[in-house]
Structures are given as structure tokens and as C-alpha cells.
Amino acid sequence: MRTRRNTLKMLGGIVGTGAFATNVVSASDPLPREETKRFYTHQDVQDELDSLQRRARGAFELEDIGDSLEGRELTVARVGSGDTDVFFTTEQHGDEPTGTNAILEDLREIATTNTPLARTVRENLTVHVLPMHNPDGAMRNQRRNARPDDYTWEDPYFGEQSGPADPNRQHYFNLDEEFLADADEDEFDPDVGIPDENPSPETQAMLDYVVPLEPEWVADLHTQSFMYHGGDYNPGDMHHSSNYWFINEGAVDRNPEGHELSRRMNVAMYDRADGFANAAVTVYPGGTTLNIARNAHGAYGYGSILNEMTGQIDDRGNRMEGQMVRIMREENAALLEGTADGSLDDLDPDRVEEIPDRGDAWWWPWDEGYRPEPE
């Protein structure tokens, strides 16, 4: 049975109308499935979650925590009865469905089977999953959400912005302005400050759910824009998964234990997945600022990691998507098992230095040869 969280229905979930509060925009015609090249539409996700709840062998709950700009439900699935909470979100960028494909298979195993992974996880963890974080973008096969082109806001990181917003750059809204100005001294403009409204109500719904939860960790599942290859590691071949931990200095100073945990999580993913299904696992060259989910959630006080599978489905096709889902599921399993049985605590966080850097060489299947990534 679903529950509906009694949160503010105002866009962004923040008190006050703000200078740019708008009504929920009407849904434009979404792209047909064959054009989005996805396995699941938003309605498919909702139907699958309802099906899993009916078939679940243990504790399984659904909670609608808010709505997208166009009124699509943002639903968190909770499975397991353990005392340790962990959280996954997928598809912050609406053209990156691999995480959604993988996490729904994970939920299916954990909720409806008695595999060793399922039993261990259900007994020791409560797993919280927000699949398809950005459903409006997903139904357009676009990175950003569905803000209209004439929507504008002053962003303390990027200056005046207009049009659709990137949900993965709006995770700083529950942090203190003084902390942001100090931790992101060269990037955050204190004269602009935190806007009255989060331009991604999808992200604000996640913040309103996760920050009070104080999970052990948050895992943010993505795909990278291109198909990366080469470098000193795996020369001439593809890099399948690039992962990272939070690195903002203010977040590390505030949460050193979470930083150590996040690095151990990366070691666990590397140990489990490198070489699995021919996978090459590398370090993602991510940014430092606290508007990014990976860094912000470290500052909120828990472990926080990023998983970026290589290439979009448009580039690599559905056949390779199956390989990517298998690799990502192995990485997810490493995190879940290691947290459930405590083995994650035994890993040396400094071993992240063993994980090769991804590098910047990329290619598309229809290109001849390789070329360097543009600035």
C-alpha cells in the first residue's frame, strides 16, 4: 500500500512563494518509447513497484514523496527491516536510464527472492530507492527537468539561469549559506545566496526525505555522456564504470568518517566489478562543489558515492545495455552485502589510489577512430 507524504505541494518544497514560483506546467506529449530507447517509462516504473509490493516476501513499502513539475509521482520504495538505512537514487538525468534498469532488478531480487543477497539485505538493512528521480526529463529523453524556457532564476553557482534545470546541481538547498560560502569560496556567490525555490522540485523532494533519514550512505547512479577508452589502463578498450566519492574540503572536514566510508565503498565496487563481464572500473573526474549530489550529501553527514556507467543507450545500443546493467548490479551488490555483513568496514579506504583514472579519450560507434573530448 502506498502512503502519501504530507509535504508542501509548492514547487521546490520550500516555504515562501519566491520571486519565481510558478504553477505546475502542463505535460507536453512525451516521446514514444521507441524514441526514448528506454526499457521503462515512468508508468512502467510505478506499475513495477506496485507489482513488487504485492509479491514481496518481507517488509516492502511505497511512499510518494512529491511530484515532478508535470505531476508525475516521485516514489520511494523501502525494502527490508534492518536498523541500517541506505539510499539509492537513479536517473537524475533523464537520458541516463541504466541506473533505473539496474535498481529495479535489484529491488526485484531483494523483495521477492530468497537468494543469499536478498536474505542478508532484508534482515540487516532497510534499503530506500528513488528510481527515475527526473521522470519529466526521462519522458523526453533529456538531461534536465521540464522547467519551461521562460523560467529564470539567480543561481549562486552559475549566475542567471533560464529554462530546464539540472537536478544533480540543486542539492545544496538544505545547507547553511555561511557554510556554502566558506566551503565553496570561489564558486558560491553569497550576494545571490540560496534561491527561495529549488528549480528542481524533484531534488527537493529527495532532500526532504533523505536528510532527516540520515542514512548510512547515498548512492547516485548515472551514465556518462560518452564511451570512454584508453589511457594507461585498458588502452584502446572501453571503460565501463567510473565511480567517485565526495571530495569537497568543507564536507570532508565536517564528515571525515563519511569520507572514509565513501572511499571504502569505492574500493568495494572496484574489487567486486573490475573484470566482471569484461568490466574496466575507473575513477570519475568529478567536481568539488556542494551543489552536486555526491558532495552535498557528504556534507549532510553520511557516505556518498557516484556510479557512472559509460555511454548513453543512444550511443551503445540496447545489447550493451544488458552488460552495463549486470556490471552496475554487481557494484550495487558489493555495497549492499558489504554494509549488511559488515565486511565493508574491513576495507582500507586508501586503496582508492589503486583504482585507475578514467582519462578523457572518448568515441562514438559511428565515428571513425578516436578523438579527444572537447573542453
Side-chain angles (χ1 to χ4, degrees), residues 191-205:
D191 293 332
V192 174
I194 300 173
D196 294 328
E197 175 190 35
N198 193 325
S200 173
E202 302 86 0
T203 294
Q204 191 60 47

Side-chain angles (χ1 to χ4, degrees), residues 86-119:
V86 299
F87 187 94
F88 289 91
T89 191
T90 75
E91 218 165 340
Q92 289 203 69
H93 296 143
D95 57 352
E96 301 178 8
T98 301
T100 299
N101 298 339
I103 206 65
L104 288 177
E105 290 195 25
D106 289 333
L107 277 175
R108 192 175 302 120
E109 177 179 357
I110 295 167
T112 69
T113 77
N114 273 322
T115 65
L117 173 66
R119 291 196 303 271

Side-chain angles (χ1 to χ4, degrees), residues 210-211 214-218 246 255 258 261-262 297-298 300-304:
V210 172
V211 174
E214 297 183 343
E216 182 80 359
W217 47 258
V218 166
F246 70 87
N255 183 17
L261 168 61
S262 303
H297 289 279
Y300 289 127
Y302 28 87
S304 179

Side-chain angles (χ1 to χ4, degrees), residues 26-40:
S26 60
S28 60
D29 292 332
L31 292 171
R33 188 192 301 264
E34 59 268 19
E35 290 190 32
T36 62
K37 295 184 173 64
R38 64 177 46 253
F39 295 174
Y40 295 96

Side-chain angles (χ1 to χ4, degrees), residues 128-342:
H128 306 248
V129 175
L130 174 59
M132 200 175 283
H133 178 125
N134 177 13
D136 298 345
M139 293 302 93
R140 290 167 168 78
N141 199 36
Q142 71 180 29
R143 177 183 175 90
R144 297 174 178 248
N145 68 8
R147 284 290 187 189
D149 290 340
D150 60 358
Y151 174 82
T152 61
W153 75 97
E154 282 293 324
D155 190 290
Y157 286 92
F158 301 112
E160 184 173 308
Q161 299 289 296
S162 61
D166 183 341
N168 194 32
R169 297 299 185 271
Q170 317 301 331
H171 284 264
Y172 63 96
F173 274 74
N174 289 39
L175 293 169
D176 180 77
E177 284 191 7
E178 185 175 347
F179 172 71
L180 290 168
D182 182 60
D184 285 341
E185 181 179 4
D186 297 329
E187 293 87 4
F188 181 86
D189 186 346
D191 293 332
V192 174
I194 300 173
D196 294 328
E197 175 190 35
N198 193 325
S200 173
E202 302 86 0
T203 294
Q204 191 60 47
M206 174 180 160
L207 291 174
D208 292 341
Y209 183 91
V210 172
V211 174
L213 179 68
E214 297 183 343
E216 182 80 359
W217 47 258
V218 166
D220 183 17
L221 309 186
H222 286 254
T223 61
Q224 307 180 69
S225 297
F226 305 111
M227 297 172 68
Y228 292 89
H229 76 95
D232 295 333
Y233 177 64
N234 210 35
D237 212 343
M238 192 167 71
H239 298 230
H240 297 81
S241 177
S242 299
N243 306 320
Y244 212 15
W245 50 97
F246 70 87
I247 61 170
N248 178 275
E249 291 185 5
V252 174
D253 289 343
R254 174 182 279 195
N255 183 17
E257 291 183 358
H259 181 244
E260 183 173 289
L261 168 61
S262 303
R263 291 186 295 153
R264 292 201 307 268
M265 292 167 70
N266 274 258
V267 171
M269 290 189 289
Y270 177 67
D271 286 348
R272 180 71 170 259
D274 192 59
F276 174 82
N278 296 317
V281 178
T282 57
V283 173
Y284 184 80
T288 66
T289 53
L290 289 165
N291 55 344
I292 301 170
R294 168 178 47 83
N295 291 314
H297 289 279
Y300 289 127
Y302 28 87
S304 179
I305 64 96
L306 169 73
N307 185 341
E308 295 260 6
M309 305 306 292
T310 201
Q312 308 290 9
I313 292 179
D314 281 354
D315 302 338
R316 50 180 162 79
N318 281 333
R319 179 177 297 179
M320 191 176 290
E321 175 69 358
Q323 179 192 27
M324 295 298 171
V325 167
R326 289 180 64 206
I327 295 167
M328 180 174 273
R329 290 197 64 205
E330 282 296 304
E331 294 175 298
N332 294 345
L335 300 180
L336 292 168
E337 285 184 351
T339 306
D341 65 17

Side-chain angles (χ1 to χ4, degrees), residues 351-373:
R351 284 190 51 226
V352 294
E353 300 298 329
E354 300 174 13
I355 308 174
D357 292 334
R358 187 204 66 188
D360 292 327
W362 58 273
W363 64 288
W364 281 336
W366 52 82
D367 287 345
E368 292 184 6
Y370 303 127
R371 57 185 176 180
E373 183 177 5

